Amino acid sequence: MNIREATIDLHNAVEETEFAKKMIAGTLTKQGYVIYLNAQYLIFNAMEQYGEYVLPHVSLPRKQSIIDDLKSLDEEATGFNMPKSAYKYSDYVLGAIDKVDRNSHIYLNYMGMMFGGGIVAKNGYSAGNLYKFEDRSDIIKSIRELELSVDEVNQGFRYHIEIFEEIERMCNRV
């Protein structure tokens, strides 16, 4: 069984959250998307800022893309109005002990931006820099060559469900 088949249930659960449905349908508010981008900034910063993570392709880093997308919305990456679950996941990512665990979070987050992100980019929430990858086929190949842990990918999906549910609650408070 390949990694996609082994993690499909939690992958589908992420897509079934109300937040994800709105994001995919193009009905997300600017506020919701800004919170989402800030949460993504925390996650990608955890993988890109610290030496424990070795990205398998030079075109993978997303931090600047997120900053540019926020700038296109007259916003900036901040720690304010941020889901606590995004902090929890970024801490978890930083605590990944071995290379296989770290690879699993690289797989989940970067492949998610390349595949699911393409759908979101079409909705025009921002300039869509987060979802633009140079050398896409080479990137996909480099990520697919990584040794992965099904348990860690599934754990990452659980965190994303928690993040999306929390962002939805935050948006409903206004």
Side-chain angles (χ1 to χ4, degrees), residues 78-95:
T78 68
F80 302 109
N81 201 21
M82 181 77 65
K84 289 183 178 100
S85 51
Y87 284 108
K88 284 176 33 182
Y89 182 47
S90 64
D91 285 346
Y92 183 83
V93 162
L94 286 172

Side-chain angles (χ1 to χ4, degrees), residues 37-38 41 63 66-67 70-71 75-80 82:
L37 287 176
N38 274 290
Y41 182 84
K63 281 179 15 181
I66 296 168
I67 290 168
L70 285 163
K71 193 177 290 185
E75 300 282 345
E76 58 186 64
T78 68
F80 302 109
M82 181 77 65

Side-chain angles (χ1 to χ4, degrees), residues 30 34 67-77 125-126:
K30 176 185 173 186
V34 168
I67 290 168
D68 293 344
D69 280 344
L70 285 163
K71 193 177 290 185
S72 78
L73 296 168
D74 295 322
E75 300 282 345
E76 58 186 64
Y125 293 117
S126 68

Side-chain angles (χ1 to χ4, degrees), residues 85 162 164-174:
S85 51
E162 187 178 344
F164 283 11
E165 288 174 346
E166 186 175 356
I167 295 173
E168 180 67 16
R169 287 190 305 274
M170 292 170 77
C171 291
N172 287 334
R173 280 189 229 141
V174 175

Side-chain angles (χ1 to χ4, degrees), residues 110-122:
Y110 291 92
M111 293 291 262
M113 289 305 132
M114 279 190 283
F115 289 100
I119 297 166
V120 176
K122 293 177 184 172

